[in-house]
Amino acid sequence: MSSNFQLPAGLKPANPPSSGGGPGGAPGGNDEEARAQQMQAKAQEEEMRRGMLGQILEPDARERRE
């Protein structure tokens, strides 16, 4: 069964976690950079989620959610 779901404009699908150090096995720096990108992506997702919920939920429900 195929899905017709489309992400909202500006969103990219999440990349699955990689196993290992990436191409060439470069130590250290790439992992930290990837981790920083993941943290930034999670923060952006959380901000977008809060924004959408803020638009959808009524004020009382929004207060309970926080």
Side-chain angles (χ1 to χ4, degrees), residues 17-53:
S18 63
S19 59
N30 268 352
D31 288 343
E32 288 182 27
E33 184 177 322
R35 194 171 301 126
Q37 288 177 346
Q38 280 183 331
M39 289 176 59
Q40 183 179 5
K42 283 183 185 251
Q44 184 178 9
E45 287 176 23
E46 179 68 17
E47 183 179 334
M48 290 182 71
R49 185 182 67 83
R50 287 179 188 262
M52 286 188 277
L53 287 174

Side-chain angles (χ1 to χ4, degrees), residues 5-17 41 44-45:
F5 177 78
Q6 293 185 351
L7 291 172
L11 282 183
K12 293 187 264 180
N15 294 332
Q44 184 178 9
E45 287 176 23

